[in-house]
Each structure stands twice: as structure tokens, then as C-alpha cells.
Amino acid sequence: MNKIAKQLVAIFVGLFMMAGSVVAQPAATEGAPDGAASACAHHCMAPMDFHANPVCYVPGYDAFVVVDSIDCAIDFLVRGEDNTLQRTGRFTTDVYQGRHDLKNILRPQSVSVMGEYVLALVSSQTDSSYLVVLQLMYCDDTLKMYEKPVAEYGFSCTHYAFQVNPMSKEIILVGKTPVGYNINSLSFAQGCNAMTPLTTFHYHVPKQAERIKEADPYGGGLALVAICVVFIALVCICFIMLGYGAIIRKVTEKNENKGKEAKGNAPKAVSEGSKAVDGEVYAAIAAAIYAYEQDLHDEEDTVITIQKVERAWTPWNAKFYNMNQYFSNKK
């Protein structure tokens, strides 16, 4: 009997401990902060990759939503019975035709389909973008896309992609600017045609100058580096000039030695008296050359060839013809 009682007590203790562990797990979850619970929920979700989607296939309607980047439009194509595509709707993203400011043209970036609505992201290269909602409807047994938007949501920044988060019922739009990143979110809890903006995030990517300013706010390190660089450059220039001067001296000495050797090997003059005559010889040669050049000139006649031509008088430039006739009649 004692053995049976001990076994029963052990069984009851084991069951009690198992029940306690089962109850402790929900209690720990309930006692955890909201941030931890939300973090666990976010970890359970799959990551969302943001890429521009130029084509979207709608299997329920057997249709395609295509981005036409040439005409800046969004086309809705329906597959026919003969496997041909027929365009049953078009939305032009930029109504200004033939404009030259290419950076301000609103071009379609990405498309998606939610139920009976087509979502399209349109943006420019500068600082504007908007999300347009287009409705699908049947007309004469043909599925068409209504060209007039049901709703438009504008942003003062550039976006290039968006994703739909069905769990939180929001649309997340991402964009990149020259100074950082922009992220906007819209809630479609009340429908795609009645979205409400939720949050707007902007991340400023620090530039190299800003990072240096943050690391060295007073500029002492930057000044020290600049001074060291200047002095190192001057020292390098001094060494270069010293080396260049040594090379020039060696080349000059080598040329002088060659010249001395050439003079030593040259034949000596015939007599010392001939050196005194060299100046007179050069003067005679110069005088002969000057006289020869003077003889080459022709003697020119000094007759004045200007002649005055007398012409008959003509009244074509008479000044009195230019006067007003009123003064002549007055006399």
C-alpha cells in the first residue's frame, strides 16, 4: 500500500508541475512589454523587398498592368481568346506633352493590384511623387480600367517603389534623395479610395564633411593634418630640387671636361702675329659686304606722280536742294 501511495503522489506532483509550466508561458507573454511582443510579431513576418515593379499580372482577370515609360502612361492589357493582348485602359501620368524639363516629368515607377483597384506610383527626378488609385470595372462584358483616378496621394519627395503590408493594412513607399532616404506609409483600413497618411520618416546620410565636423568640432585635428601635409610637400620639393641641381652640375662638369679635351686636341695657330690681324680682316670683310649690298639697290626717280583732275560741275549733290521749299517760297 505504501508503494502504491508513493507512486500516486509522484504522479500528482508531475501533473501539477506540467500544468504550472503550461500556465507560466502565457503569463510570461502577457507580462512582457508591448515592444517585446511587437518585436516578436515583426520577427514572424517575412522581410519586404522594395523593388520597382514595371509589370503586374492579375490571375483572376487574366490581365496585365504594364508601365509605358516612353509615353509616361500605365496600360491595362486583357488577354483575348486568341492569346492576343488588347489594351482596355490607359492612364497618362504626365499630361504635359513635349516639355523639355526632363527632371520634372512625372514618370510611372511601379504598379500593383489590390482587388478591383490598380495602384501606381508616379514620381519625378526632383522632389515630387504621388500614388494613384485606378478602378477596374466591366463594360460590355470587357474588363476595363477607368482612366480617371479614384484617389491620388501626393508627396513632396521622390519615391521609386512601394509594398503592401496586409497584416498592418498599410502601404509603405520608399524613396531616395541626394541627402538621404524617405519612407512614407498610408493606411488602407477604410479602403483604397480613402487612405490616410500614417508616418513619414527621413534619414539624412551624413556627408564626409559632417562626419569630420562631428569627430573634430573645433577643427584642431584638421588644421594639424593640413600643416603636416604642407610641410611634407615642402620637404619633398626641397629633396627633388637638390637632386635636380646635383644632376645638372654633373652634366655641366662632364660637358666642360669634353670641351677642354677638344681644345687640347685642336691644332695650334701658325704664328702669334696672325692674331693681331684678325680684327682688321673682319672689318674689311664687313665693309665689302656693305658696299656690295648698296650697289644692288636701283636708283629710283623722285618725280611726283600726283595729278589733279578737273571735273565739270554737277548739281546732284547741291546742298540747296536739300532745304525745305517753304523757306524758298517765303522770299
mmCIF file of all heavy atoms in Angstrom, residues 239-265:
data_model
loop_
_atom_site.group_PDB
_atom_site.id
_atom_site.type_symbol
_atom_site.label_atom_id
_atom_site.label_comp_id
_atom_site.label_asym_id
_atom_site.label_seq_id
_atom_site.Cartn_x
_atom_site.Cartn_y
_atom_site.Cartn_z
ATOM 1 N N PHE A 239 64.042 68.139 -51.502
ATOM 2 C CA PHE A 239 64.862 66.998 -51.906
ATOM 3 C C PHE A 239 64.887 66.849 -53.426
ATOM 4 O O PHE A 239 65.926 66.539 -54.024
ATOM 5 C CB PHE A 239 64.349 65.714 -51.255
ATOM 6 C CG PHE A 239 64.777 65.560 -49.822
ATOM 7 C CD1 PHE A 239 63.852 65.629 -48.800
ATOM 8 C CD2 PHE A 239 66.112 65.348 -49.499
ATOM 9 C CE1 PHE A 239 64.247 65.490 -47.479
ATOM 10 C CE2 PHE A 239 66.516 65.212 -48.182
ATOM 11 C CZ PHE A 239 65.584 65.278 -47.166
ATOM 12 N N ILE A 240 63.773 67.099 -54.062
ATOM 13 C CA ILE A 240 63.720 66.989 -55.530
ATOM 14 C C ILE A 240 64.617 68.040 -56.169
ATOM 15 O O ILE A 240 65.365 67.756 -57.115
ATOM 16 C CB ILE A 240 62.257 67.121 -56.011
ATOM 17 C CG1 ILE A 240 61.454 65.897 -55.575
ATOM 18 C CG2 ILE A 240 62.206 67.277 -57.522
ATOM 19 C CD1 ILE A 240 59.967 66.032 -55.801
ATOM 20 N N MET A 241 64.548 69.289 -55.665
ATOM 21 C CA MET A 241 65.381 70.344 -56.243
ATOM 22 C C MET A 241 66.867 70.095 -56.000
ATOM 23 O O MET A 241 67.699 70.354 -56.873
ATOM 24 C CB MET A 241 64.975 71.698 -55.650
ATOM 25 C CG MET A 241 63.549 72.121 -55.991
ATOM 26 S SD MET A 241 63.230 72.168 -57.764
ATOM 27 C CE MET A 241 64.298 73.525 -58.250
ATOM 28 N N LEU A 242 67.228 69.579 -54.802
ATOM 29 C CA LEU A 242 68.632 69.262 -54.539
ATOM 30 C C LEU A 242 69.145 68.178 -55.477
ATOM 31 O O LEU A 242 70.247 68.264 -56.026
ATOM 32 C CB LEU A 242 68.796 68.824 -53.075
ATOM 33 C CG LEU A 242 68.626 69.937 -52.024
ATOM 34 C CD1 LEU A 242 68.674 69.344 -50.624
ATOM 35 C CD2 LEU A 242 69.706 71.000 -52.191
ATOM 36 N N GLY A 243 68.333 67.163 -55.668
ATOM 37 C CA GLY A 243 68.729 66.110 -56.607
ATOM 38 C C GLY A 243 68.833 66.616 -58.024
ATOM 39 O O GLY A 243 69.769 66.256 -58.761
ATOM 40 N N TYR A 244 67.891 67.482 -58.421
ATOM 41 C CA TYR A 244 67.943 68.044 -59.773
ATOM 42 C C TYR A 244 69.188 68.908 -59.952
ATOM 43 O O TYR A 244 69.848 68.872 -60.995
ATOM 44 C CB TYR A 244 66.676 68.862 -60.023
ATOM 45 C CG TYR A 244 66.605 69.481 -61.383
ATOM 46 C CD1 TYR A 244 66.352 68.695 -62.506
ATOM 47 C CD2 TYR A 244 66.789 70.844 -61.557
ATOM 48 C CE1 TYR A 244 66.288 69.260 -63.770
ATOM 49 C CE2 TYR A 244 66.730 71.416 -62.818
ATOM 50 C CZ TYR A 244 66.469 70.623 -63.915
ATOM 51 O OH TYR A 244 66.408 71.177 -65.159
ATOM 52 N N GLY A 245 69.535 69.713 -58.917
ATOM 53 C CA GLY A 245 70.738 70.539 -59.011
ATOM 54 C C GLY A 245 72.006 69.708 -59.114
ATOM 55 O O GLY A 245 72.927 70.038 -59.884
ATOM 56 N N ALA A 246 72.083 68.613 -58.350
ATOM 57 C CA ALA A 246 73.260 67.741 -58.432
ATOM 58 C C ALA A 246 73.397 67.139 -59.822
ATOM 59 O O ALA A 246 74.503 67.054 -60.384
ATOM 60 C CB ALA A 246 73.153 66.646 -57.373
ATOM 61 N N ILE A 247 72.270 66.733 -60.396
ATOM 62 C CA ILE A 247 72.325 66.154 -61.743
ATOM 63 C C ILE A 247 72.794 67.200 -62.752
ATOM 64 O O ILE A 247 73.613 66.926 -63.643
ATOM 65 C CB ILE A 247 70.938 65.596 -62.117
ATOM 66 C CG1 ILE A 247 70.607 64.390 -61.231
ATOM 67 C CG2 ILE A 247 70.891 65.189 -63.583
ATOM 68 C CD1 ILE A 247 69.180 63.905 -61.370
ATOM 69 N N ILE A 248 72.288 68.440 -62.636
ATOM 70 C CA ILE A 248 72.691 69.498 -63.566
ATOM 71 C C ILE A 248 74.194 69.791 -63.437
ATOM 72 O O ILE A 248 74.903 69.999 -64.439
ATOM 73 C CB ILE A 248 71.864 70.774 -63.307
ATOM 74 C CG1 ILE A 248 70.393 70.525 -63.682
ATOM 75 C CG2 ILE A 248 72.414 71.951 -64.092
ATOM 76 C CD1 ILE A 248 70.155 70.213 -65.128
ATOM 77 N N ARG A 249 74.697 69.825 -62.213
ATOM 78 C CA ARG A 249 76.126 70.079 -62.023
ATOM 79 C C ARG A 249 76.981 68.978 -62.646
ATOM 80 O O ARG A 249 78.002 69.249 -63.291
ATOM 81 C CB ARG A 249 76.432 70.194 -60.527
ATOM 82 C CG ARG A 249 76.022 71.526 -59.925
ATOM 83 C CD ARG A 249 76.679 71.734 -58.572
ATOM 84 N NE ARG A 249 76.251 70.703 -57.629
ATOM 85 C CZ ARG A 249 75.199 70.794 -56.834
ATOM 86 N NH1 ARG A 249 74.426 71.871 -56.886
ATOM 87 N NH2 ARG A 249 74.914 69.827 -55.990
ATOM 88 N N LYS A 250 76.565 67.755 -62.474
ATOM 89 C CA LYS A 250 77.334 66.652 -63.063
ATOM 90 C C LYS A 250 77.343 66.744 -64.581
ATOM 91 O O LYS A 250 78.370 66.545 -65.236
ATOM 92 C CB LYS A 250 76.744 65.323 -62.614
ATOM 93 C CG LYS A 250 77.008 65.004 -61.145
ATOM 94 C CD LYS A 250 76.428 63.649 -60.779
ATOM 95 C CE LYS A 250 76.709 63.324 -59.312
ATOM 96 N NZ LYS A 250 76.148 62.012 -58.927
ATOM 97 N N VAL A 251 76.188 67.047 -65.167
ATOM 98 C CA VAL A 251 76.117 67.152 -66.632
ATOM 99 C C VAL A 251 76.975 68.318 -67.120
ATOM 100 O O VAL A 251 77.687 68.218 -68.136
ATOM 101 C CB VAL A 251 74.648 67.323 -67.072
ATOM 102 C CG1 VAL A 251 74.554 67.616 -68.556
ATOM 103 C CG2 VAL A 251 73.852 66.074 -66.728
ATOM 104 N N THR A 252 76.954 69.461 -66.399
ATOM 105 C CA THR A 252 77.755 70.614 -66.802
ATOM 106 C C THR A 252 79.255 70.318 -66.714
ATOM 107 O O THR A 252 80.043 70.663 -67.620
ATOM 108 C CB THR A 252 77.407 71.816 -65.925
ATOM 109 O OG1 THR A 252 75.997 72.042 -65.994
ATOM 110 C CG2 THR A 252 78.130 73.065 -66.391
ATOM 111 N N GLU A 253 79.673 69.704 -65.624
ATOM 112 C CA GLU A 253 81.092 69.347 -65.486
ATOM 113 C C GLU A 253 81.527 68.371 -66.567
ATOM 114 O O GLU A 253 82.631 68.475 -67.122
ATOM 115 C CB GLU A 253 81.332 68.743 -64.108
ATOM 116 C CG GLU A 253 81.204 69.761 -62.968
ATOM 117 C CD GLU A 253 81.344 69.103 -61.621
ATOM 118 O OE1 GLU A 253 81.509 67.856 -61.594
ATOM 119 O OE2 GLU A 253 81.293 69.820 -60.596
ATOM 120 N N LYS A 254 80.662 67.458 -66.909
ATOM 121 C CA LYS A 254 81.002 66.496 -67.951
ATOM 122 C C LYS A 254 81.174 67.190 -69.298
ATOM 123 O O LYS A 254 82.112 66.912 -70.058
ATOM 124 C CB LYS A 254 79.913 65.427 -68.034
ATOM 125 C CG LYS A 254 80.234 64.271 -68.937
ATOM 126 C CD LYS A 254 79.142 63.220 -68.870
ATOM 127 C CE LYS A 254 79.474 62.053 -69.784
ATOM 128 N NZ LYS A 254 78.410 61.005 -69.740
ATOM 129 N N ASN A 255 80.291 68.137 -69.610
ATOM 130 C CA ASN A 255 80.399 68.867 -70.879
ATOM 131 C C ASN A 255 81.656 69.747 -70.895
ATOM 132 O O ASN A 255 82.334 69.880 -71.925
ATOM 133 C CB ASN A 255 79.153 69.723 -71.099
ATOM 134 C CG ASN A 255 77.907 68.873 -71.325
ATOM 135 O OD1 ASN A 255 78.025 67.734 -71.799
ATOM 136 N ND2 ASN A 255 76.744 69.415 -71.007
ATOM 137 N N GLU A 256 81.986 70.376 -69.739
ATOM 138 C CA GLU A 256 83.206 71.193 -69.693
ATOM 139 C C GLU A 256 84.460 70.346 -69.894
ATOM 140 O O GLU A 256 85.407 70.756 -70.578
ATOM 141 C CB GLU A 256 83.268 71.924 -68.350
ATOM 142 C CG GLU A 256 82.228 73.039 -68.216
ATOM 143 C CD GLU A 256 82.313 73.705 -66.868
ATOM 144 O OE1 GLU A 256 83.098 73.218 -66.018
ATOM 145 O OE2 GLU A 256 81.586 74.701 -66.649
ATOM 146 N N ASN A 257 84.487 69.189 -69.298
ATOM 147 C CA ASN A 257 85.649 68.309 -69.486
ATOM 148 C C ASN A 257 85.790 67.893 -70.945
ATOM 149 O O ASN A 257 86.902 67.839 -71.495
ATOM 150 C CB ASN A 257 85.531 67.081 -68.599
ATOM 151 C CG ASN A 257 85.613 67.439 -67.109
ATOM 152 O OD1 ASN A 257 86.259 68.431 -66.760
ATOM 153 N ND2 ASN A 257 84.974 66.655 -66.265
ATOM 154 N N LYS A 258 84.665 67.614 -71.585
ATOM 155 C CA LYS A 258 84.731 67.263 -73.007
ATOM 156 C C LYS A 258 85.251 68.430 -73.832
ATOM 157 O O LYS A 258 86.034 68.256 -74.765
ATOM 158 C CB LYS A 258 83.346 66.833 -73.506
ATOM 159 C CG LYS A 258 82.901 65.472 -72.996
ATOM 160 C CD LYS A 258 81.557 65.105 -73.600
ATOM 161 C CE LYS A 258 81.116 63.718 -73.133
ATOM 162 N NZ LYS A 258 79.799 63.363 -73.720
ATOM 163 N N GLY A 259 84.812 69.675 -73.499
ATOM 164 C CA GLY A 259 85.279 70.847 -74.231
ATOM 165 C C GLY A 259 86.769 71.084 -74.046
ATOM 166 O O GLY A 259 87.489 71.423 -74.989
ATOM 167 N N LYS A 260 87.267 70.885 -72.827
ATOM 168 C CA LYS A 260 88.698 71.051 -72.594
ATOM 169 C C LYS A 260 89.505 70.010 -73.353
ATOM 170 O O LYS A 260 90.561 70.312 -73.928
ATOM 171 C CB LYS A 260 88.986 70.944 -71.102
ATOM 172 C CG LYS A 260 88.452 72.134 -70.292
ATOM 173 C CD LYS A 260 88.748 71.942 -68.822
ATOM 174 C CE LYS A 260 88.212 73.125 -68.021
ATOM 175 N NZ LYS A 260 88.458 72.965 -66.563
ATOM 176 N N GLU A 261 89.033 68.817 -73.365
ATOM 177 C CA GLU A 261 89.733 67.774 -74.129
ATOM 178 C C GLU A 261 89.756 68.106 -75.606
ATOM 179 O O GLU A 261 90.763 67.910 -76.307
ATOM 180 C CB GLU A 261 89.074 66.422 -73.888
ATOM 181 C CG GLU A 261 89.240 65.910 -72.454
ATOM 182 C CD GLU A 261 88.505 64.607 -72.253
ATOM 183 O OE1 GLU A 261 87.850 64.138 -73.223
ATOM 184 O OE2 GLU A 261 88.564 64.042 -71.136
ATOM 185 N N ALA A 262 88.656 68.655 -76.139
ATOM 186 C CA ALA A 262 88.613 69.003 -77.564
ATOM 187 C C ALA A 262 89.564 70.149 -77.880
ATOM 188 O O ALA A 262 90.249 70.158 -78.908
ATOM 189 C CB ALA A 262 87.190 69.374 -77.966
ATOM 190 N N LYS A 263 89.654 71.139 -76.961
ATOM 191 C CA LYS A 263 90.580 72.245 -77.188
ATOM 192 C C LYS A 263 92.034 71.765 -77.104
ATOM 193 O O LYS A 263 92.916 72.256 -77.825
ATOM 194 C CB LYS A 263 90.341 73.339 -76.158
ATOM 195 C CG LYS A 263 89.049 74.105 -76.380
ATOM 196 C CD LYS A 263 88.888 75.186 -75.343
ATOM 197 C CE LYS A 263 87.603 75.966 -75.578
ATOM 198 N NZ LYS A 263 87.420 77.024 -74.552
ATOM 199 N N GLY A 264 92.313 70.849 -76.227
ATOM 200 C CA GLY A 264 93.681 70.335 -76.123
ATOM 201 C C GLY A 264 94.097 69.564 -77.356
ATOM 202 O O GLY A 264 95.267 69.582 -77.762
ATOM 203 N N ASN A 265 93.166 68.901 -78.005
ATOM 204 C CA ASN A 265 93.480 68.133 -79.207
ATOM 205 C C ASN A 265 93.461 68.977 -80.466
ATOM 206 O O ASN A 265 93.872 68.526 -81.531
ATOM 207 C CB ASN A 265 92.491 66.975 -79.358
ATOM 208 C CG ASN A 265 92.607 65.993 -78.192
ATOM 209 O OD1 ASN A 265 93.701 65.812 -77.635
ATOM 210 N ND2 ASN A 265 91.492 65.360 -77.833
#
